[in-house]
Amino acid sequence: MAEVTAEAAEVVGTTASAAPRMRSAARRARRIRAGLARARGLWRDFTGESAYDRYVERHRREHPDHAPMSARQWWRARADFDESNVSAGCC
């Protein structure tokens, strides 16, 4: 990244020493956004929200000759499967 000269810093209304702080703030913001994206992905996996997305991904990869079920159809099929395969034990 190019160094900010005092004249260039005056033009944009900052000081030359403010530029490194702005860069570190931008890096910090990127790290926070990346952390939040990871947390969102984990939360979606934990709650099952990403299950349909994984199904569509796998279906398109393994069965490219026909379209996957709609989200509504998939959730209904999943609920039907869960209801018909009830486990009485802990595992």
Coordinates of all heavy atoms in Angstrom, one line a residue:
M1 N 0.8 -1.2 0.0 CA 0.0 0.0 0.0 C 0.9 1.2 0.0 O 1.9 1.3 0.7 CB -0.9 -0.1 1.2 CG -2.0 1.0 1.2 SD -3.2 0.7 2.5 CE -4.3 -0.3 1.5
A2 N 0.5 2.3 -0.8 CA 1.3 3.5 -0.9 C 1.3 4.3 0.4 O 0.4 4.3 1.1 CB 0.8 4.3 -2.0
E3 N 2.5 4.9 0.7 CA 2.6 5.8 1.9 C 1.8 7.1 1.6 O 1.7 7.6 0.5 CB 4.0 6.1 2.1 CG 4.8 5.0 2.8 CD 4.3 4.6 4.1 OE1 4.0 5.5 4.9 OE2 4.1 3.4 4.4
V4 N 1.2 7.6 2.7 CA 0.4 8.8 2.6 C 1.4 9.9 3.0 O 2.0 9.9 4.0 CB -0.8 8.8 3.6 CG1 -1.5 10.1 3.5 CG2 -1.7 7.6 3.2
T5 N 1.5 10.9 2.1 CA 2.3 12.1 2.3 C 1.5 13.1 3.1 O 0.3 13.0 3.2 CB 2.8 12.7 1.0 OG1 1.7 13.2 0.3 CG2 3.6 11.7 0.2
A6 N 2.2 14.0 3.8 CA 1.5 15.0 4.6 C 0.6 15.9 3.7 O -0.5 16.2 4.1 CB 2.6 15.9 5.3
E7 N 1.1 16.2 2.4 CA 0.2 17.0 1.5 C -1.0 16.2 1.2 O -2.1 16.8 1.1 CB 1.0 17.4 0.3 CG 2.2 18.3 0.5 CD 3.5 17.5 0.7 OE1 3.5 16.3 0.3 OE2 4.4 18.0 1.4
A8 N -0.9 15.0 0.8 CA -2.1 14.2 0.5 C -3.0 14.0 1.6 O -4.2 14.0 1.5 CB -1.6 12.8 -0.1
A9 N -2.5 13.9 2.8 CA -3.3 13.7 4.0 C -4.1 15.0 4.3 O -5.3 14.9 4.7 CB -2.4 13.4 5.2
E10 N -3.5 16.2 4.0 CA -4.2 17.4 4.2 C -5.3 17.6 3.2 O -6.4 18.1 3.6 CB -3.2 18.6 4.0 CG -2.4 18.9 5.2 CD -1.5 20.1 5.0 OE1 -2.0 21.1 4.4 OE2 -0.4 20.1 5.4
V11 N -5.2 17.1 2.0 CA -6.2 17.2 1.0 C -7.4 16.4 1.4 O -8.6 16.9 1.3 CB -5.7 16.6 -0.4 CG1 -6.8 16.5 -1.4 CG2 -4.6 17.6 -0.9
V12 N -7.3 15.2 2.0 CA -8.4 14.4 2.4 C -8.9 14.8 3.8 O -9.8 14.2 4.3 CB -8.2 12.9 2.3 CG1 -8.0 12.5 0.8 CG2 -7.0 12.5 3.1
G13 N -8.2 15.7 4.5 CA -8.6 16.1 5.8 C -8.1 15.2 7.0 O -8.8 15.2 8.0
T14 N -7.1 14.5 6.8 CA -6.5 13.7 7.9 C -5.1 14.0 8.0 O -4.5 14.7 7.2 CB -6.7 12.2 7.6 OG1 -5.9 11.9 6.4 CG2 -8.1 11.8 7.4
T15 N -4.5 13.5 9.1 CA -3.0 13.6 9.2 C -2.4 12.4 8.7 O -3.0 11.3 8.5 CB -2.7 13.8 10.7 OG1 -3.0 12.6 11.4 CG2 -3.4 15.0 11.3
A16 N -1.1 12.5 8.4 CA -0.3 11.3 7.9 C -0.3 10.2 8.9 O -0.3 9.0 8.5 CB 1.1 11.8 7.5
S17 N -0.3 10.5 10.2 CA -0.3 9.4 11.2 C -1.7 8.8 11.3 O -1.7 7.7 11.9 CB 0.1 10.0 12.5 OG -0.8 11.0 13.0
A18 N -2.7 9.3 10.8 CA -4.0 8.7 10.9 C -4.2 7.6 9.9 O -5.0 6.7 10.1 CB -5.1 9.8 10.6
A19 N -3.4 7.6 8.8 CA -3.6 6.6 7.8 C -3.3 5.2 8.3 O -4.1 4.3 8.0 CB -2.7 6.9 6.6
P20 N -2.2 4.9 9.1 CA -2.0 3.6 9.6 C -3.1 3.1 10.5 O -3.5 2.0 10.5 CB -0.7 3.7 10.4 CG 0.0 4.8 9.8 CD -1.1 5.8 9.3
R21 N -3.7 4.1 11.3 CA -4.8 3.7 12.2 C -6.0 3.3 11.4 O -6.7 2.4 11.7 CB -5.2 4.9 13.1 CG -4.2 5.1 14.2 CD -4.7 6.1 15.3 NE -5.1 7.3 14.6 CZ -4.5 8.5 14.8 NH1 -3.4 8.5 15.5 NH2 -4.9 9.6 14.2
M22 N -6.2 4.0 10.2 CA -7.4 3.7 9.4 C -7.2 2.3 8.8 O -8.1 1.5 8.7 CB -7.5 4.8 8.3 CG -8.0 6.1 8.9 SD -7.9 7.5 7.8 CE -9.1 7.0 6.5
R23 N -5.9 2.0 8.4 CA -5.7 0.7 7.8 C -5.9 -0.4 8.9 O -6.5 -1.5 8.6 CB -4.3 0.6 7.2 CG -4.2 1.3 5.9 CD -2.9 0.9 5.2 NE -1.7 1.3 5.9 CZ -1.0 2.5 5.8 NH1 -1.5 3.4 5.0 NH2 0.0 2.8 6.5
S24 N -5.4 -0.2 10.1 CA -5.6 -1.2 11.1 C -7.1 -1.3 11.5 O -7.6 -2.4 11.8 CB -4.8 -0.9 12.4 OG -5.3 0.2 13.1
A25 N -7.9 -0.3 11.4 CA -9.3 -0.3 11.7 C -10.0 -1.1 10.6 O -10.9 -1.9 10.9 CB -9.9 1.1 11.8
A26 N -9.5 -1.0 9.3 CA -10.1 -1.7 8.2 C -9.8 -3.2 8.4 O -10.6 -4.1 8.2 CB -9.6 -1.2 6.9
R27 N -8.6 -3.5 8.8 CA -8.2 -4.9 9.1 C -9.0 -5.5 10.2 O -9.5 -6.7 10.1 CB -6.7 -5.1 9.4 CG -5.8 -5.1 8.2 CD -4.4 -5.5 8.6 NE -3.8 -4.6 9.6 CZ -3.0 -3.6 9.3 NH1 -2.6 -3.4 8.1 NH2 -2.5 -2.8 10.2
R28 N -9.2 -4.8 11.2 CA -10.0 -5.2 12.4 C -11.5 -5.5 11.9 O -12.1 -6.5 12.3 CB -10.0 -4.2 13.5 CG -10.5 -4.6 14.8 CD -10.3 -3.7 15.9 NE -10.0 -2.3 15.7 CZ -8.8 -1.7 15.7 NH1 -7.8 -2.4 16.0 NH2 -8.7 -0.5 15.4
A29 N -12.0 -4.6 11.1 CA -13.4 -4.7 10.6 C -13.5 -6.0 9.7 O -14.5 -6.7 9.8 CB -13.8 -3.5 9.8
R30 N -12.5 -6.3 8.9 CA -12.5 -7.5 8.1 C -12.5 -8.7 8.9 O -13.2 -9.7 8.7 CB -11.3 -7.5 7.1 CG -11.6 -6.7 5.8 CD -10.5 -7.0 4.8 NE -9.2 -6.7 5.2 CZ -8.5 -5.5 5.1 NH1 -9.2 -4.5 4.6 NH2 -7.3 -5.4 5.5
R31 N -11.6 -8.7 10.0 CA -11.6 -9.9 10.9 C -12.9 -10.1 11.6 O -13.3 -11.2 11.8 CB -10.4 -9.7 11.9 CG -9.1 -9.9 11.3 CD -8.0 -10.1 12.4 NE -8.1 -9.2 13.5 CZ -7.4 -8.1 13.6 NH1 -6.5 -7.7 12.6 NH2 -7.5 -7.3 14.6
I32 N -13.5 -9.0 12.0 CA -14.8 -9.1 12.7 C -15.9 -9.7 11.8 O -16.6 -10.6 12.1 CB -15.2 -7.7 13.3 CG1 -14.3 -7.4 14.5 CG2 -16.7 -7.8 13.7 CD1 -14.5 -6.0 14.9
R33 N -15.9 -9.1 10.5 CA -16.9 -9.7 9.5 C -16.6 -11.1 9.3 O -17.6 -11.9 9.2 CB -16.8 -8.9 8.2 CG -17.6 -7.6 8.3 CD -17.8 -7.0 6.9 NE -16.5 -6.7 6.3 CZ -15.9 -5.5 6.4 NH1 -16.4 -4.6 7.1 NH2 -14.8 -5.3 5.8
A34 N -15.4 -11.5 9.1 CA -15.0 -13.0 8.9 C -15.5 -13.8 10.1 O -16.0 -14.9 9.9 CB -13.5 -13.1 8.6
G35 N -15.2 -13.3 11.3 CA -15.6 -14.1 12.5 C -17.1 -14.2 12.6 O -17.7 -15.3 12.9
L36 N -17.8 -13.1 12.2 CA -19.3 -13.2 12.3 C -19.8 -14.2 11.2 O -20.8 -14.9 11.4 CB -19.9 -11.8 12.1 CG -19.7 -10.9 13.3 CD1 -20.2 -9.5 12.9 CD2 -20.5 -11.4 14.5
A37 N -19.2 -14.2 10.0 CA -19.6 -15.1 9.0 C -19.4 -16.5 9.4 O -20.3 -17.4 9.2 CB -18.9 -14.8 7.7
R38 N -18.3 -16.8 10.1 CA -18.1 -18.2 10.6 C -19.1 -18.5 11.6 O -19.6 -19.7 11.6 CB -16.6 -18.3 11.1 CG -15.6 -18.5 10.1 CD -14.2 -18.9 10.7 NE -13.7 -18.0 11.7 CZ -13.0 -16.9 11.5 NH1 -12.6 -16.6 10.2 NH2 -12.6 -16.1 12.5
A39 N -19.4 -17.6 12.5 CA -20.4 -17.9 13.6 C -21.7 -18.1 13.0 O -22.5 -19.0 13.4 CB -20.4 -16.7 14.5
R40 N -22.1 -17.3 11.9 CA -23.4 -17.5 11.3 C -23.4 -18.9 10.6 O -24.5 -19.6 10.7 CB -23.6 -16.5 10.2 CG -25.0 -16.6 9.5 CD -25.2 -15.5 8.5 NE -26.5 -15.6 7.9 CZ -26.7 -16.3 6.8 NH1 -25.8 -16.9 6.1 NH2 -28.0 -16.4 6.3
G41 N -22.4 -19.3 10.0 CA -22.3 -20.6 9.4 C -22.5 -21.8 10.4 O -23.2 -22.7 10.2
L42 N -21.8 -21.6 11.5 CA -21.9 -22.6 12.6 C -23.3 -22.6 13.2 O -23.9 -23.7 13.4 CB -20.9 -22.3 13.7 CG -19.4 -22.6 13.4 CD1 -18.5 -22.1 14.5 CD2 -19.2 -24.1 13.2
W43 N -23.9 -21.5 13.3 CA -25.3 -21.4 13.9 C -26.3 -22.1 12.9 O -27.1 -22.8 13.3 CB -25.7 -20.0 14.1 CG -27.0 -19.8 14.7 CD1 -28.2 -19.4 14.1 CD2 -27.4 -20.2 16.1 NE1 -29.2 -19.5 15.0 CE2 -28.8 -20.0 16.2 CE3 -26.7 -20.7 17.2 CZ2 -29.5 -20.2 17.3 CZ3 -27.4 -21.0 18.3 CH2 -28.8 -20.7 18.4
R44 N -26.1 -21.8 11.6 CA -27.0 -22.4 10.6 C -26.8 -23.9 10.6 O -27.8 -24.7 10.5 CB -26.7 -21.9 9.2 CG -27.1 -20.4 9.1 CD -26.9 -19.9 7.6 NE -28.0 -20.5 6.8 CZ -27.8 -21.1 5.7 NH1 -26.6 -21.2 5.2 NH2 -28.8 -21.6 5.0
D45 N -25.6 -24.4 10.8 CA -25.4 -25.9 10.8 C -26.0 -26.4 12.1 O -26.6 -27.5 12.1 CB -23.9 -26.2 10.8 CG -23.3 -26.0 9.5 OD1 -24.0 -25.9 8.5 OD2 -22.0 -25.9 9.4
F46 N -25.8 -25.7 13.2 CA -26.4 -26.2 14.5 C -27.9 -26.3 14.5 O -28.5 -27.2 15.0 CB -25.9 -25.3 15.6 CG -26.3 -25.6 17.0 CD1 -25.9 -26.8 17.6 CD2 -27.3 -24.8 17.6 CE1 -26.3 -27.1 18.9 CE2 -27.7 -25.2 18.9 CZ -27.3 -26.3 19.5
T47 N -28.5 -25.3 13.9 CA -30.0 -25.3 13.9 C -30.6 -26.1 12.8 O -31.8 -26.2 12.8 CB -30.5 -23.8 13.8 OG1 -30.1 -23.2 12.6 CG2 -30.1 -23.0 15.0
G48 N -29.8 -26.5 11.8 CA -30.4 -27.3 10.7 C -30.8 -26.4 9.5 O -31.3 -26.9 8.5
E49 N -30.6 -25.1 9.7 CA -31.0 -24.2 8.6 C -30.3 -24.4 7.3 O -30.8 -24.2 6.2 CB -30.8 -22.7 9.1 CG -31.3 -21.7 8.1 CD -31.0 -20.3 8.6 OE1 -30.7 -20.1 9.8 OE2 -31.1 -19.4 7.8
S50 N -29.1 -24.9 7.4 CA -28.3 -25.1 6.2 C -28.5 -26.5 5.6 O -27.9 -26.8 4.5 CB -26.8 -24.9 6.5 OG -26.4 -25.9 7.4
A51 N -29.3 -27.3 6.1 CA -29.5 -28.7 5.6 C -30.1 -28.7 4.2 O -29.6 -29.5 3.4 CB -30.5 -29.4 6.6
Y52 N -31.0 -27.8 3.9 CA -31.5 -27.8 2.5 C -30.5 -27.3 1.5 O -30.4 -27.9 0.4 CB -32.8 -26.9 2.4 CG -33.3 -26.8 1.0 CD1 -33.9 -27.9 0.4 CD2 -33.1 -25.6 0.2 CE1 -34.4 -27.8 -0.9 CE2 -33.6 -25.5 -1.1 CZ -34.2 -26.6 -1.6 OH -34.7 -26.6 -2.9
D53 N -29.7 -26.3 1.9 CA -28.6 -25.9 1.0 C -27.6 -27.0 0.8 O -27.2 -27.1 -0.4 CB -27.8 -24.7 1.7 CG -28.7 -23.5 1.9 OD1 -29.7 -23.3 1.1 OD2 -28.4 -22.7 2.8
R54 N -27.3 -27.8 1.8 CA -26.4 -28.9 1.6 C -27.0 -30.0 0.7 O -26.3 -30.5 -0.2 CB -26.0 -29.5 2.9 CG -25.0 -28.7 3.7 CD -24.4 -29.5 4.8 NE -25.3 -30.2 5.6 CZ -26.0 -29.8 6.7 NH1 -25.7 -28.5 7.1 NH2 -26.8 -30.5 7.4
Y55 N -28.3 -30.2 0.8 CA -29.0 -31.1 0.0 C -29.0 -30.7 -1.5 O -28.7 -31.5 -2.4 CB -30.5 -31.3 0.4 CG -31.4 -31.7 -0.7 CD1 -31.4 -33.1 -1.1 CD2 -32.3 -30.9 -1.3 CE1 -32.2 -33.5 -2.1 CE2 -33.1 -31.3 -2.4 CZ -33.0 -32.6 -2.8 OH -33.9 -33.0 -3.8
V56 N -29.2 -29.4 -1.7 CA -29.2 -28.9 -3.1 C -27.8 -29.0 -3.7 O -27.7 -29.5 -4.9 CB -29.7 -27.4 -3.2 CG1 -29.5 -26.8 -4.5 CG2 -31.2 -27.4 -2.8
E57 N -26.8 -28.7 -2.9 CA -25.4 -28.8 -3.4 C -25.1 -30.2 -3.8 O -24.6 -30.5 -4.9 CB -24.5 -28.4 -2.3 CG -23.4 -27.4 -2.6 CD -22.7 -27.0 -1.4 OE1 -21.8 -27.8 -1.0 OE2 -23.0 -26.0 -0.8
R58 N -25.4 -31.2 -2.9 CA -25.1 -32.6 -3.2 C -26.0 -33.1 -4.4 O -25.5 -33.8 -5.3 CB -25.4 -33.5 -2.0 CG -25.0 -34.9 -2.2 CD -25.5 -35.8 -1.0 NE -26.9 -35.7 -0.8 CZ -27.8 -36.4 -1.6 NH1 -27.4 -37.2 -2.6 NH2 -29.1 -36.4 -1.3
H59 N -27.2 -32.7 -4.4 CA -28.1 -33.2 -5.5 C -27.6 -32.7 -6.9 O -27.6 -33.5 -7.8 CB -29.6 -32.7 -5.3 CG -30.6 -33.3 -6.2 ND1 -30.8 -32.9 -7.5 CD2 -31.4 -34.4 -6.0 CE1 -31.7 -33.6 -8.0 NE2 -32.1 -34.5 -7.2
R60 N -27.3 -31.5 -7.0 CA -26.8 -30.9 -8.2 C -25.5 -31.6 -8.7 O -25.2 -31.8 -9.8 CB -26.6 -29.4 -8.1 CG -27.9 -28.7 -8.1 CD -27.8 -27.3 -8.5 NE -29.2 -26.7 -8.6 CZ -29.6 -25.6 -8.0 NH1 -28.7 -24.9 -7.3 NH2 -30.8 -25.2 -8.1
R61 N -24.7 -32.0 -7.7 CA -23.4 -32.7 -8.0 C -23.6 -34.1 -8.4 O -23.0 -34.6 -9.4 CB -22.5 -32.6 -6.7 CG -21.1 -33.1 -6.9 CD -20.2 -32.9 -5.7 NE -20.8 -33.5 -4.5 CZ -21.3 -32.9 -3.4 NH1 -21.2 -31.6 -3.4 NH2 -21.8 -33.5 -2.4
E62 N -24.5 -34.8 -7.8 CA -24.7 -36.2 -8.0 C -25.8 -36.6 -9.0 O -25.9 -37.6 -9.5 CB -24.9 -37.0 -6.7 CG -23.7 -36.9 -5.8 CD -23.9 -37.6 -4.5 OE1 -25.0 -38.3 -4.3 OE2 -23.1 -37.4 -3.6
H63 N -26.8 -35.7 -9.2 CA -27.9 -35.9 -10.0 C -28.2 -34.7 -10.9 O -29.2 -34.1 -10.9 CB -29.2 -36.2 -9.2 CG -29.0 -37.3 -8.2 ND1 -29.0 -38.6 -8.6 CD2 -28.9 -37.2 -6.9 CE1 -28.8 -39.3 -7.5 NE2 -28.7 -38.5 -6.4
P64 N -27.2 -34.3 -11.8 CA -27.4 -33.1 -12.6 C -28.5 -33.2 -13.7 O -28.9 -32.2 -14.3 CB -26.0 -32.9 -13.3 CG -25.4 -34.3 -13.3 CD -26.0 -35.0 -12.1
D65 N -29.0 -34.5 -13.9 CA -30.0 -34.7 -14.9 C -31.4 -34.2 -14.6 O -32.3 -34.1 -15.4 CB -30.0 -36.1 -15.4 CG -30.2 -37.1 -14.2 OD1 -29.7 -36.7 -13.1 OD2 -30.9 -38.1 -14.3
H66 N -31.7 -34.0 -13.3 CA -33.0 -33.5 -12.9 C -32.9 -32.5 -11.7 O -32.0 -32.5 -11.0 CB -34.0 -34.6 -12.6 CG -33.6 -35.5 -11.4 ND1 -32.7 -36.5 -11.5 CD2 -34.1 -35.5 -10.2 CE1 -32.6 -37.1 -10.4 NE2 -33.4 -36.5 -9.5
A67 N -33.9 -31.7 -11.6 CA -33.9 -30.6 -10.6 C -34.2 -31.2 -9.2 O -34.9 -32.2 -9.0 CB -35.0 -29.6 -10.9
P68 N -33.6 -30.5 -8.2 CA -33.8 -31.0 -6.8 C -35.3 -30.6 -6.4 O -35.9 -29.8 -7.0 CB -32.8 -30.2 -6.0 CG -32.5 -29.0 -6.8 CD -32.7 -29.4 -8.3
M69 N -35.7 -31.2 -5.3 CA -37.0 -30.8 -4.7 C -37.0 -29.3 -4.3 O -35.9 -28.8 -3.9 CB -37.3 -31.7 -3.4 CG -37.5 -33.1 -3.7 SD -38.0 -33.9 -2.1 CE -36.4 -34.4 -1.5
S70 N -38.1 -28.8 -4.2 CA -38.2 -27.4 -3.7 C -38.0 -27.4 -2.2 O -38.0 -28.5 -1.6 CB -39.6 -26.8 -4.0 OG -40.6 -27.5 -3.1
A71 N -37.7 -26.3 -1.6 CA -37.4 -26.3 -0.2 C -38.6 -26.8 0.6 O -38.5 -27.6 1.6 CB -37.1 -24.8 0.3
R72 N -39.8 -26.4 0.2 CA -41.0 -26.9 0.9 C -41.2 -28.4 0.8 O -41.5 -29.1 1.8 CB -42.3 -26.2 0.3 CG -43.5 -26.5 1.0 CD -44.7 -25.8 0.3 NE -45.9 -26.0 1.0 CZ -46.6 -25.1 1.7 NH1 -46.1 -23.9 1.7 NH2 -47.7 -25.4 2.3
Q73 N -41.0 -29.0 -0.4 CA -41.0 -30.4 -0.6 C -40.0 -31.1 0.3 O -40.2 -32.2 0.9 CB -40.8 -30.8 -2.0 CG -41.9 -30.4 -3.0 CD -41.5 -30.6 -4.4 OE1 -40.4 -30.4 -4.8 NE2 -42.5 -30.9 -5.2
W74 N -38.8 -30.6 0.3 CA -37.7 -31.2 1.0 C -37.9 -31.2 2.5 O -37.8 -32.2 3.2 CB -36.3 -30.5 0.7 CG -35.2 -31.2 1.3 CD1 -34.5 -32.3 0.8 CD2 -34.6 -30.9 2.6 NE1 -33.5 -32.7 1.7 CE2 -33.6 -31.9 2.8 CE3 -34.8 -30.0 3.6 CZ2 -32.8 -31.9 3.9 CZ3 -34.0 -30.0 4.7 CH2 -33.0 -31.0 4.9
W75 N -38.4 -30.1 3.1 CA -38.7 -30.0 4.5 C -39.8 -31.0 4.9 O -39.8 -31.6 5.9 CB -39.0 -28.6 5.0 CG -37.8 -27.8 5.1 CD1 -37.4 -26.7 4.2 CD2 -36.7 -27.9 6.0 NE1 -36.2 -26.2 4.6 CE2 -35.7 -26.9 5.7 CE3 -36.5 -28.7 7.1 CZ2 -34.6 -26.7 6.4 CZ3 -35.3 -28.5 7.8 CH2 -34.4 -27.5 7.5
R76 N -40.8 -31.1 4.0 CA -41.9 -32.0 4.2 C -41.4 -33.5 4.2 O -41.8 -34.3 5.1 CB -43.0 -31.8 3.2 CG -44.2 -32.7 3.3 CD -45.1 -32.2 4.5 NE -44.9 -33.1 5.6 CZ -45.1 -32.8 6.9 NH1 -45.6 -31.7 7.2 NH2 -44.9 -33.7 7.9
A77 N -40.6 -33.8 3.2 CA -40.0 -35.2 3.2 C -39.1 -35.4 4.4 O -39.2 -36.5 5.0 CB -39.2 -35.3 1.9
R78 N -38.4 -34.5 4.8 CA -37.6 -34.6 6.0 C -38.4 -34.9 7.3 O -38.1 -35.7 8.1 CB -36.6 -33.4 6.2 CG -35.7 -33.6 7.4 CD -34.8 -32.4 7.5 NE -34.1 -32.5 8.8 CZ -33.1 -31.7 9.1 NH1 -32.6 -30.8 8.2 NH2 -32.4 -31.9 10.2
A79 N -39.5 -34.1 7.4 CA -40.4 -34.2 8.6 C -41.1 -35.6 8.5 O -41.2 -36.3 9.6 CB -41.4 -33.1 8.6
D80 N -41.5 -36.0 7.3 CA -42.1 -37.3 7.2 C -41.2 -38.4 7.6 O -41.5 -39.4 8.3 CB -42.6 -37.6 5.8 CG -43.8 -36.7 5.4 OD1 -44.5 -36.2 6.4 OD2 -44.1 -36.5 4.2
F81 N -39.9 -38.3 7.1 CA -38.9 -39.3 7.5 C -38.7 -39.4 9.0 O -38.7 -40.4 9.6 CB -37.6 -39.0 6.8 CG -36.5 -40.0 7.1 CD1 -36.4 -41.2 6.5 CD2 -35.6 -39.6 8.1 CE1 -35.4 -42.1 6.9 CE2 -34.6 -40.5 8.4 CZ -34.5 -41.8 7.8
D82 N -38.6 -38.2 9.6 CA -38.3 -38.1 11.1 C -39.5 -38.7 11.8 O -39.3 -39.4 12.9 CB -38.1 -36.7 11.5 CG -36.7 -36.2 11.1 OD1 -35.9 -37.0 10.7 OD2 -36.5 -34.9 11.1
E83 N -40.7 -38.4 11.4 CA -41.9 -39.0 12.1 C -42.1 -40.5 11.9 O -42.5 -41.1 12.8 CB -43.2 -38.3 11.5 CG -43.2 -36.8 12.0 CD -44.3 -36.0 11.3 OE1 -45.2 -36.7 10.6 OE2 -44.4 -34.8 11.5
S84 N -41.6 -41.0 10.8 CA -41.8 -42.5 10.6 C -40.6 -43.3 11.1 O -40.7 -44.5 11.2 CB -42.0 -42.8 9.1 OG -40.8 -42.4 8.4
N85 N -39.5 -42.6 11.5 CA -38.3 -43.3 12.0 C -38.0 -42.8 13.4 O -36.9 -42.3 13.7 CB -37.1 -43.1 11.1 CG -37.4 -43.8 9.7 OD1 -37.6 -45.0 9.7 ND2 -37.3 -43.0 8.7
V86 N -38.9 -43.0 14.3 CA -38.8 -42.5 15.7 C -37.9 -43.5 16.4 O -38.2 -44.7 16.4 CB -40.1 -42.3 16.4 CG1 -39.9 -41.9 17.8 CG2 -40.9 -41.3 15.6
S87 N -37.0 -43.1 17.1 CA -36.1 -44.0 18.0 C -36.6 -43.9 19.4 O -36.7 -42.8 20.0 CB -34.6 -43.5 17.8 OG -33.8 -44.3 18.7
A88 N -36.8 -45.0 20.0 CA -37.2 -45.0 21.4 C -36.0 -44.9 22.4 O -36.2 -44.5 23.5 CB -38.0 -46.3 21.7
G89 N -34.8 -45.2 21.9 CA -33.6 -45.2 22.7 C -33.0 -43.9 22.6 O -33.4 -42.9 21.9
C90 N -31.9 -43.8 23.3 CA -31.1 -42.5 23.3 C -30.3 -42.3 22.0 O -30.0 -41.2 21.6 CB -30.2 -42.4 24.5 SG -28.8 -43.6 24.5
C91 N -30.0 -43.4 21.4 CA -29.1 -43.3 20.2 C -29.9 -43.9 19.0 O -29.8 -44.5 18.2 CB -27.8 -44.1 20.4 SG -27.0 -43.4 21.9

